[in-house]
Amino acid sequence: MFAKAFRVKSNTVIKGSDRRKLKADVSAAFPSLSADELSELIPNKEELNVVKIYAHKGEAVTVYVLHKKPLFFELEKRLYPTVYVLWRYPNLLPTFRTWPPVFKLIGNLMLPGVVVPSSGLPDVKQGDCCAVTVVSNGAPVALGTAAVSSAEMYSLGMKGRGLCVLHTYMDYLWAFGDKSGPPSLPDAESEGQEVDEVEDDINEKEEDDVVEKCVEEQESSGESAMNRTCSGVEELRLAEKEEEKDEKERNGCEPRSCPDFTEIMDALLLRCFLHALKSKVKKSELPLLTSTFLRIHMFSCCPSGKQLDIKKSSYKKLSKFLQVMQQQHHLVRVKELTKGVESIVEVDWKNPELRSFSIPEETDVEAAVVQDGGEGEITYRPPEITTLYSVPARLEPLFLDANKRKGTTLHAAEVRSIITEYVKKNELVDENNKKSQSLYHLTAAKHVFNRTMGRMQESYQVVFPGQASIIKKGHIEPIDISVASRGSNKKVTLIKNLEVYGLDPAVVATALQHRVQASSVLHQIPGAKDKVLVQIQGNQIHQVGNLLLDHYQIPRKYIQGLDKAPKSGKKK
């Protein structure tokens, strides 16, 4: 299931009630866990995150993460532990043993690859959650559900599919954690003499025979999923090895067997550099700090779904990259205007490489709002917001002539028109001063209008493009931006009420991350259903304001807290 990369929909801190429910669900699913072990797994006072993801085939999965380690994942309302939990509690699930060469091919564990212990197979029913270990190590390396019961496994002559594997060591769910390896745990079965003798007798040729049988079983069962899983695991292993290799090893690697990620990052770096120069940087901005150029301009030009990381390029540092752009490509001129601080002082706008570069149509993550299904992209357009006034019961006689009953919502202009007609119809004029009749009409209408508006119930109407209008009582909540302190001298910016204006908090958080290169977290607002708070490091009110005003076109009157932005020249 996690052999290929998944998409994160949301990442929020768990609420107290949900934490208690998770504890109860884990206790019910795994009754062998004691109360102390349960408290160790799910502590009461430590931050636990709920990450909602979509697997590569579209399955909706909820992952519970503690200390950057996924503990459990929930699929179709059923909880499964990850390998990180199984390494702490290896006896949590019934276990099937296999040979290390078979594990390398593991897509779905085939019965010919299962090592039957002297005590027999564990007693399982079809659909039971089971773990997989390799001979000589008791640490589980995979988990899944039993394809058939243990009795059926014997009756089938140990042929066919044994386990439907969901999660393995080295897959993308494992990589979502700290990427630690399995511990060396004693294998209970290998402690006995019989198994030792069996292990001594089995040589490489016999192991190859076991692997061939597994491959034959998978091919006969149409196990194409195994190939996908195997390739996904191998890709991940290659990626891990690539990160650990130095530049010399990468240059000597064959392209077909080991892709050069350094070259890919170098190409992405150059693309973002050219894109930023051609579409973002203006001549009036020069000289421009190199750090500002990277943070504000280059990162915003990074294509959606990719991450720009200079440390993973062959340059390692921004200064070295800019030196190459200056000396070899002759695109810019970099100078140290103040000690230790470099700035771009000149750009060669007529450079053939820069002039021939074509700007990609869509690169900025802020350019589109991706819907939950991820199938299409819809450009965000702000809603039309109109203030309305509801007719109360005590003012109903005033609106009867206009056929407006209690609860009817009206625009301010409609109320004014009805009041003016009411004043004229009921001849609210001074009989002794007929000359000032028209002036008195106006004055009386204005007086009645002001008193009426003060007693009517205010409402508002929100119309999103292409959708039916929504009318709600009261005042519309503005997007609230505030700054809070965390720790001794750390600031965080908090944003709420984005949903009122049709903005996805997760998309806004990602856009801000690219703009300011700071981490962001989504929190569920206590007592507010379906409302999420965006938290981003530092006092980022200025950047948040620019994003909402310039990009999303939200009117300033619907944004609260812009006055709290740090003043220029002061430390943020």
Side-chain angles (χ1 to χ4, degrees):
M1 171 172 285
F2 305 106
K4 294 185 179 180
F6 51 78
R7 181 171 68 87
V8 177
K9 177 188 175 185
S10 64
N11 185 349
T12 59
V13 177
I14 197 169
K15 295 188 293 185
S17 57
D18 291 337
R19 187 191 296 262
R20 290 190 292 272
K21 183 179 182 300
L22 176 62
K23 269 191 173 182
D25 291 343
V26 171
S27 179
F30 310 104
S32 60
L33 287 172
S34 65
D36 292 338
E37 290 172 336
L38 196 60
S39 296
E40 286 180 10
L41 271 177
I42 309 172
N44 291 326
K45 295 186 178 180
E46 296 185 35
E47 188 172 288
L48 183 68
N49 287 66
V50 181
V51 183
K52 294 186 177 181
I53 65 174
Y54 287 115
H56 68 280
K57 288 186 178 179
E59 304 99 325
V61 184
T62 302
V63 184
Y64 298 94
V65 181
L66 177 70
H67 299 153
K68 297 184 179 180
K69 280 187 180 181
L71 299 181
F72 298 93
F73 64 94
E74 186 176 348
L75 175 66
E76 295 178 353
K77 299 184 179 180
R78 183 176 179 182
L79 276 175
Y80 299 91
T82 64
V83 290
Y84 292 109
V85 170
L86 293 177
W87 291 341
R88 293 172 63 181
Y89 306 101
N91 299 321
L92 188 63
L93 299 174
T95 303
F96 289 83
R97 297 168 72 232
T98 188
W99 300 102
V102 176
F103 169 66
K104 292 178 182 178
L105 295 173
I106 198 166
N108 287 321
L109 181 61
M110 309 307 291
L111 290 175
V114 175
V115 178
V116 182
S118 57
S119 58
L121 294 173
D123 185 17
V124 297
K125 297 177 181 178
Q126 185 178 5
D128 285 356
C129 190
C130 306
V132 180
T133 63
V134 294
V135 172
S136 75
N137 191 355
V141 291
L143 67 97
T145 56
V148 292
S149 66
S150 51
E152 289 178 292
M153 292 180 188
Y154 286 121
S155 63
L156 291 170
M158 296 301 291
K159 292 182 179 180
R161 187 192 302 177
L163 289 183
C164 301
V165 175
L166 297 175
H167 162 48
T168 68
Y169 163 59
M170 293 293 286
D171 68 5
Y172 279 88
L173 182 60
W174 166 84
F176 196 62
D178 60 7
K179 300 182 182 179
S180 56
S184 297
L185 301 178
D187 188 355
E189 186 63 25
S190 63
E191 290 177 359
Q193 294 181 354
E194 295 179 7
V195 176
D196 285 337
E197 292 173 1
V198 173
E199 290 177 1
D200 292 336
D201 291 340
I202 291 186
N203 53 28
E204 291 182 1
K205 184 178 179 181
E206 289 173 330
E207 286 187 1
D208 291 341
D209 292 340
V210 172
V211 174
E212 286 177 10
K213 287 181 181 179
C214 291
V215 173
E216 288 174 3
E217 288 288 338
Q218 288 173 335
E219 287 177 352
S220 63
S221 302
E223 292 296 326
S224 60
M226 180 276 293
N227 297 325
R228 293 194 297 269
T229 303
C230 181
S231 63
V233 172
E234 288 301 318
E235 286 173 9
L236 185 58
R237 285 176 178 165
L238 288 174
E240 291 296 319
K241 289 178 182 178
E242 281 300 315
E243 291 179 359
E244 294 173 0
K245 288 182 180 180
D246 58 22
E247 186 177 354
K248 190 176 289 185
E249 289 176 333
R250 282 195 297 266
N251 291 337
C253 187
E254 294 182 8
R256 290 186 180 179
S257 60
C258 183
D260 195 341
F261 290 97
T262 303
E263 291 182 2
I264 295 173
M265 188 56 67
D266 286 354
L268 180 62
L269 200 61
L270 179 60
R271 169 183 168 168
C272 295
F273 177 77
L274 294 172
H275 187 178
L277 287 182
K278 193 159 186 176
S279 66
K280 303 287 183 180
V281 178
K282 298 178 181 178
K283 194 173 182 179
S284 58
E285 295 180 358
L286 301 178
L288 179 65
L289 289 174
T290 57
S291 57
T292 303
F293 174 71
L294 174 67
R295 189 180 74 249
I296 302 298
H297 299 307
M298 284 186 65
F299 278 119
S300 65
C301 294
C302 186
S304 179
K306 295 185 179 181
Q307 188 172 4
L308 193 63
D309 192 343
I310 292 181
K311 292 181 180 178
K312 292 182 181 179
S313 70
S314 61
Y315 306 101
K316 304 300 180 186
K317 293 182 179 180
L318 177 63
S319 58
K320 186 177 178 182
F321 170 73
L322 291 175
Q323 187 179 2
V324 173
M325 294 299 105
Q326 174 176 305
Q327 297 176 358
Q328 298 181 17
H329 295 257
H330 308 292
L331 286 162
V332 294
R333 188 164 67 88
V334 181
K335 190 175 180 180
E336 193 175 293
L337 297 179
T338 58
K339 189 175 181 180
V341 181
E342 291 185 335
S343 299
I344 298 174
V345 295
E346 187 180 335
V347 178
D348 184 5
W349 307 105
K350 296 181 180 180
N351 184 287
E353 187 176 4
L354 183 60
R355 294 184 68 180
S356 62
F357 177 78
S358 58
I359 299 174
E361 292 183 2
E362 200 69 59
T363 54
D364 198 337
V365 295
E366 301 161 10
V369 177
V370 181
Q371 300 303 305
D372 289 347
E375 297 175 354
E377 295 185 352
I378 302 175
T379 304
Y380 175 82
R381 286 186 291 169
E384 294 181 6
I385 303 168
T386 309
T387 302
L388 301 176
Y389 299 89
S390 179
V391 177
R394 59 181 178 176
L395 293 180
E396 188 175 9
L398 192 63
F399 295 89
L400 282 178
D401 290 342
N403 199 25
K404 305 296 182 184
R405 302 291 178 178
K406 173 189 171 183
T408 305
T409 53
L410 304 168
H411 292 79
E414 292 179 285
V415 176
R416 184 183 297 276
S417 175
I418 292 171
I419 294 299
T420 303
E421 288 298 321
Y422 180 86
V423 169
K424 290 180 179 179
K425 183 177 180 180
N426 291 276
E427 297 182 352
L428 301 178
V429 296
D430 186 358
E431 294 293 336
N432 298 322
N433 191 0
K434 297 288 185 180
K435 294 181 180 180
S436 62
Q437 182 174 347
S438 59
L439 178 63
Y440 194 85
H441 265 135
L442 181 62
T443 306
K446 185 176 180 181
H447 177 70
V448 176
F449 173 74
N450 290 337
R451 292 195 64 183
T452 302
M453 293 292 284
R455 296 185 181 185
M456 295 185 75
Q457 186 176 22
E458 192 169 326
S459 307
Y460 65 91
Q461 175 182 272
V462 180
V463 182
F464 290 98
Q467 299 182 26
S469 61
I470 302 170
I471 298 176
K472 293 185 177 181
K473 294 180 180 179
H475 299 271
I476 188 169
E477 293 179 290
I479 296 176
D480 184 69
I481 310 171
S482 60
V483 177
S485 298
R486 295 286 187 270
S488 57
N489 194 28
K490 292 183 179 179
K491 302 288 186 183
V492 293
T493 303
L494 307 175
I495 314 155
K496 60 182 180 181
N497 298 332
L498 293 168
E499 300 91 343
V500 177
Y501 299 84
L503 290 170
D504 186 345
V507 174
V508 174
T510 304
L512 287 171
Q513 275 185 310
H514 280 72
R515 283 200 171 206
V516 303
Q517 289 302 297
S519 63
S520 64
V521 183
L522 301 179
H523 297 280
Q524 197 74 33
I525 299 178
K529 187 179 179 182
D530 299 329
K531 282 198 175 183
V532 176
L533 177 77
V534 176
Q535 174 183 307
I536 189 162
Q537 284 186 347
N539 187 337
Q540 310 293 354
I541 289 181
H542 183 68
Q543 290 291 346
V544 175
N546 287 343
L547 179 67
L548 295 175
L549 292 169
D550 300 336
H551 182 74
Y552 291 120
Q553 301 293 315
I554 303 294
R556 183 178 289 270
K557 64 180 179 180
Y558 297 122
I559 304 174
Q560 178 179 291
L562 293 176
D563 56 326
K564 298 173 187 174
K567 305 298 180 183
S568 58
K570 291 187 179 181
K571 185 180 178 180
K572 292 186 181 181

